[in-house]
Amino acid sequence: MPEALEVVLRTIFAVVVLFFLTKLLGKRQVSQLSFFEYITGITVGSLAAYISLDTDKTWHLGLIALVVWVAFSLGIEFLQIKSKKARDFIDFKSTVLIKDGKILENNMKKERLSTDELLEELRKKDVFRVADVEFAIMESDGAINVLLTRENQPLTPKDMGIKVAPEKETLAVIMDGKVMDEPLDNMNLSRGWLQGELEKLNLNVEDVFLGQVDSYGELSVDLYADNMKVQQPQDKPQLYALLKKCEADLELFSLSTKNKAAKQMYAGCSDQLQALLQELKPFIQN
């Protein structure tokens, strides 16, 4: 066999083996790496290159070394899962860099992190003043996580004593100009409903690059033709969709609250609005 062809075949073989072994190691190997995972990635890549390029008869030894290294890595990961001491020894411990708005200089020196680098990481978190930081910690993978002081944290409905309905996942029902049946089934929708929504926008499925349906059953589309404007639905269908959202919110409120009186009130309002929608449907959807 020609040497060039042999290298090609070994490379393909090495890629296939490396793919399955990396799948075996799991998703962490393609995320931000820990110290040991960093070493594993370098070594596994070097062994795969050896298998591809070594034209001697000993290339299979590289395959054996690759399998042994992956098996050893799996053993280390299981050991880390079982033992906190093993995790601390194999990977770096987390280090506090800022506490109560004060930079801990000794910990900065320990991590060999300069002030400029710390400020850069803070800016990546949209933080521009050290005094606004309650707590900043460098994780074992080198990432820096930041907790702002209470007065600098974004205001949430919970802070204001407002209960909100849980938000459901928005699903893609059209992708690359093709209808996705599984998401439609998960939302109890049909192709007929989707076709009707597209007709309201004067669109065909083939025109849509991405179509998504939110938790209220409203379709939003991104078209292949970026300069093409989507015709907005008429006011009546928009009003019907808004009333449907209100009805869905009331139903979710009744399910989420533990107060019996509030639950009955929300459920009653939801039933009344649902009955009203049934009466208005022939007039308001067209």
Side-chain angles (χ1 to χ4, degrees):
M1 180 185 300
E3 192 173 89
L5 179 60
E6 185 179 356
V7 170
V8 170
L9 294 177
R10 286 185 185 177
T11 301
I12 295 173
F13 175 71
V15 169
V16 173
V17 171
L18 191 59
F19 173 79
F20 285 105
L21 291 179
T22 305
K23 290 275 285 185
L24 184 64
L25 286 174
K27 294 179 180 179
R28 288 183 55 173
Q29 288 296 319
V30 293
S31 64
Q32 193 163 6
L33 302 179
S34 66
F35 178 69
F36 185 76
E37 289 162 351
Y38 177 73
I39 297 175
T40 300
I42 294 175
T43 306
V44 168
S46 299
L47 291 172
Y50 171 78
I51 294 172
S52 300
L53 299 175
D54 184 31
T55 55
D56 296 334
K57 295 181 179 179
T58 59
W59 67 270
H60 62 282
L61 297 178
L63 179 60
I64 296 173
L66 184 61
V67 173
V68 170
W69 186 269
V70 170
F72 183 76
S73 299
L74 287 174
I76 290 293
E77 288 182 2
F78 282 120
L79 180 62
Q80 288 178 294
I81 292 173
K82 295 292 184 181
S83 172
K84 175 69 166 62
K85 291 182 179 180
R87 289 196 298 272
D88 291 340
F89 177 75
I90 295 170
D91 290 331
F92 295 108
K93 286 184 179 181
S94 300
T95 305
V96 178
L97 302 177
I98 301 175
K99 188 175 182 180
D100 299 328
K102 303 294 184 181
I103 297 176
L104 305 182
E105 291 83 0
N106 290 335
N107 288 351
M108 291 271 292
K109 292 177 182 178
K110 178 182 175 182
E111 297 297 339
R112 296 186 292 278
L113 188 71
S114 69
T115 306
D116 288 334
E117 289 171 330
L118 176 62
L119 293 176
E120 179 183 349
E121 291 299 321
L122 291 179
R123 288 194 294 270
K124 290 179 182 178
K125 306 288 185 180
D126 296 328
V127 178
F128 291 85
R129 286 206 325 156
V130 174
D132 294 339
V133 178
E134 182 77 25
F135 195 75
I137 184 170
M138 175 178 278
E139 307 292 354
S140 59
D141 60 2
I144 296 178
N145 291 319
V146 177
L147 175 66
L148 295 175
T149 55
R150 175 74 68 175
E151 61 270 18
N152 288 294
Q153 292 179 17
L155 192 63
T156 64
K158 184 179 180 180
D159 296 328
M160 302 177 66
I162 301 174
K163 291 186 177 181
V164 296
E167 189 70 24
K168 295 182 180 178
E169 181 185 4
T170 298
L171 297 179
V173 295
I174 301 175
M175 192 175 292
D176 300 328
K178 295 181 180 178
V179 177
M180 313 287 289
D181 289 314
E182 185 177 347
L184 281 174
D185 292 339
N186 291 338
M187 303 186 78
N188 296 320
L189 299 175
S190 65
R191 281 186 174 235
W193 172 86
L194 180 60
Q195 187 61 40
E197 294 298 309
L198 290 174
E199 288 176 358
K200 293 178 185 178
L201 302 174
N202 290 332
L203 294 174
N204 296 316
V205 174
E206 295 79 11
D207 300 327
V208 180
F209 177 68
L210 179 66
Q212 294 177 300
V213 177
D214 61 19
S215 57
Y216 298 106
E218 186 173 337
L219 176 68
S220 59
V221 296
D222 181 84
L223 305 181
Y224 277 105
D226 294 332
N227 57 350
M228 180 179 177
K229 293 185 178 180
V230 179
Q231 179 180 342
Q232 297 298 322
Q234 298 178 355
D235 292 339
K236 287 183 179 180
Q238 282 184 329
L239 177 60
Y240 181 81
L242 179 60
L243 291 174
K244 283 288 290 181
K245 286 184 179 181
C246 294
E247 187 273 329
D249 279 339
L250 288 169
E251 185 176 354
L252 289 171
F253 288 151
S254 69
L255 294 174
S256 61
T257 183
K258 295 181 180 179
N259 187 297
K260 291 185 178 180
K263 185 182 289 289
Q264 291 177 353
M265 180 189 68
Y266 286 134
C269 292
S270 175
D271 292 339
Q272 292 177 21
L273 189 53
Q274 192 170 15
L276 180 62
L277 284 169
Q278 290 297 325
E279 295 179 12
L280 295 176
K281 188 174 181 180
F283 308 100
I284 204 171
Q285 272 198 312
N286 299 314

